[in-house]
Amino acid sequence: MRVHGGDILSYEAQFHKKPLDFSVNVSPLGLPEGVRQAVINALDASGEYPDTDCRMLRQALADYHGIDLEWILCGNGAADLIDRLAFALVGTGKKKILLTAPTFTEYRYAFERYGLECVSYPLSYENGFAITEDILNDITPDLTAVMLCEPNNPTGKTTDRKLLIRILEKCRSCGVMLIIDECFQEFLDEPKVHTMQGHLENNSLLILKSFTKTYAMAGIRLGYCLCADQELLNTMEQAAQPWAVSGLAQAAGVAALKETAYLKKVQIQNQNERNRLKAALTDAGCKYVQGEANYLLFWHDRTDLAEILAKQGILIRTCTDYEGLDPHWYRVAVLGKEENDRLLEELAQMRSI
């Protein structure tokens, strides 16, 4: 059985109450009001099939990112696009994908489901779970792709942008696709500085994006990818089920791109609360990773921490399903001040026992 955060129904079935959920990393500000109203307004057209080409949404995204409309493909969340990408990569003839470890487990699930071989580039706590230039030695012509999560899930770490450019150059020279998942990019302090969007004219680059986390739209399901390789995007499009993106999701996406004030508020709150959580985790006796996103990975001396907190009404993410992490590792979202205070109080009490 796959492990993911946000399994509130299972929690409620066991404890008969709703948890304070730190196991998923979505905006704690909730759905923007403009998005909520757009979904409500779109309900009147629910009897009609949605636009299979997502033309209004793609145009809005093209304007938002300042790129060619034809470089954009939308999907039913980033997970849908990862699955389609795996299908498309099989057709390249090469079968090996380089993944960091740990990283988002759905990459491996999708790639291996289509018969691709996943090769690990191990990250270590001693090195701050950072990618270093030695990854360049692992990028060889027998690979079909290198998959990077920026910032990485679950570590929250980013790769130095100069190194990312070197990685892209090495991939291009080896005939390898570089796939960068930027779904958590907007939670960085300076997302526009870190994004690799400016290198999209290189056919060796594909960037994954999502509305899920930034705008608290996990239940709406909307993601997209940016890539100049038309042949690759066409193959991914052909792998989709008909009407993969609902009309409600398309309307929500167009509205979300206008929520600039909401996005700025999310970024400021996340930065303040993330820094506060880091200091408090140290006080609670935890070793944490210097994450830069809206979640923190930390080590605790107890392997039953998740079970103990669950009894107190708090749901956190265990990380045993991440390659390279043992049962002492946990991930928590950066929520609002009151929610974070509650988590820290419970951790402090456990230290005093």
Side-chain angles (χ1 to χ4, degrees), residues 8-83:
I8 293 177
L9 290 178
S10 293
Y11 181 93
E12 291 178 339
Q14 181 178 359
F15 295 99
H16 308 292
K17 60 182 178 181
K18 195 176 185 68
L20 179 55
D21 191 5
F22 283 87
S23 70
V24 291
N25 314 312
V26 301
S27 166
L29 299 184
L31 192 68
E33 186 55 38
V35 176
R36 184 189 307 277
Q37 193 58 53
V39 172
I40 292 172
N41 294 341
L43 286 171
D44 290 340
S46 293
E48 304 170 5
Y49 282 104
D51 176 12
T52 56
D53 293 327
C54 301
R55 278 165 284 200
M56 288 185 62
L57 175 57
R58 287 170 57 233
Q59 186 60 62
L61 286 166
D63 295 340
Y64 183 81
H65 290 291
I67 64 173
D68 192 316
L69 177 72
E70 299 304 316
W71 292 4
I72 303 170
L73 178 66
C74 299
N76 185 21
D80 171 39
L81 293 166
I82 292 168
D83 191 82

Side-chain angles (χ1 to χ4, degrees), residues 154-182:
T155 66
K157 294 285 290 184
T158 62
T159 304
D160 179 79
R161 195 170 184 279
K162 291 181 180 179
L163 178 55
L164 283 177
I165 293 172
R166 291 178 65 192
I167 291 171
L168 176 58
E169 291 172 347
K170 181 67 181 291
C171 285
R172 180 174 55 188
S173 67
C174 290
V176 174
M177 174 65 64
L178 175 59
I179 307 157
I180 300 182
D181 184 340
E182 292 190 356

Side-chain angles (χ1 to χ4, degrees), residues 4-259:
H4 287 293
D7 190 5
I8 293 177
L9 290 178
S10 293
Y11 181 93
E12 291 178 339
Q14 181 178 359
F15 295 99
H16 308 292
K17 60 182 178 181
K18 195 176 185 68
L20 179 55
D21 191 5
F22 283 87
S23 70
V24 291
N25 314 312
V26 301
S27 166
L29 299 184
L31 192 68
E33 186 55 38
V35 176
R36 184 189 307 277
Q37 193 58 53
V39 172
I40 292 172
N41 294 341
L43 286 171
D44 290 340
S46 293
E48 304 170 5
Y49 282 104
D51 176 12
T52 56
D53 293 327
C54 301
R55 278 165 284 200
M56 288 185 62
L57 175 57
R58 287 170 57 233
Q59 186 60 62
L61 286 166
D63 295 340
Y64 183 81
H65 290 291
I67 64 173
D68 192 316
L69 177 72
E70 299 304 316
W71 292 4
I72 303 170
L73 178 66
C74 299
N76 185 21
D80 171 39
L81 293 166
I82 292 168
D83 191 82
R84 293 198 232 169
L85 179 58
F87 170 84
L89 291 176
V90 170
T92 64
K94 295 186 289 186
K95 301 294 184 181
K96 292 170 66 175
I97 310 285
L98 183 64
L99 300 174
T100 60
T103 196
F104 185 43
T105 55
E106 283 300 320
Y107 304 150
R108 183 176 291 271
Y109 284 134
F111 294 141
E112 291 184 345
R113 184 162 57 246
Y114 286 94
L116 296 167
E117 176 189 355
C118 294
V119 181
S120 296
Y121 170 81
L123 307 172
S124 67
Y125 173 75
E126 291 72 24
N127 197 34
F129 288 104
I131 294 175
T132 60
E133 64 180 11
D134 63 355
I135 193 175
L136 297 171
N137 298 324
D138 290 10
I139 302 173
T140 53
D142 62 326
L143 295 175
T144 185
V146 175
M147 178 90 215
L148 301 181
C149 189
E150 295 287 323
N152 193 21
N153 176 9
T155 66
K157 294 285 290 184
T158 62
T159 304
D160 179 79
R161 195 170 184 279
K162 291 181 180 179
L163 178 55
L164 283 177
I165 293 172
R166 291 178 65 192
I167 291 171
L168 176 58
E169 291 172 347
K170 181 67 181 291
C171 285
R172 180 174 55 188
S173 67
C174 290
V176 174
M177 174 65 64
L178 175 59
I179 307 157
I180 300 182
D181 184 340
E182 292 190 356
C183 287
F184 289 101
Q185 188 89 185
E186 298 302 328
F187 292 102
L188 298 176
D189 294 345
E190 296 182 282
K192 292 182 179 179
V193 172
H194 187 71
T195 181
M196 288 288 285
Q197 181 186 310
H199 296 267
L200 279 170
E201 73 282 352
N202 186 324
N203 274 20
S204 298
L205 177 64
L206 182 144
I207 297 176
L208 285 165
K209 308 284 274 187
S210 173
F211 290 85
T212 299
K213 319 297 186 193
T214 311
Y215 301 100
M217 288 168 52
I220 295 177
R221 309 305 306 145
L222 181 60
Y224 60 101
C225 66
L226 311 175
C227 185
D229 187 336
Q230 290 300 292
E231 184 178 350
L232 179 66
L233 289 187
N234 289 340
T235 303
M236 291 176 65
E237 186 174 18
Q238 291 166 15
Q241 60 173 313
W243 312 290
V245 183
S246 73
L248 301 183
Q250 292 182 44
V254 172
L257 295 174
K258 302 174 184 176
E259 293 287 341

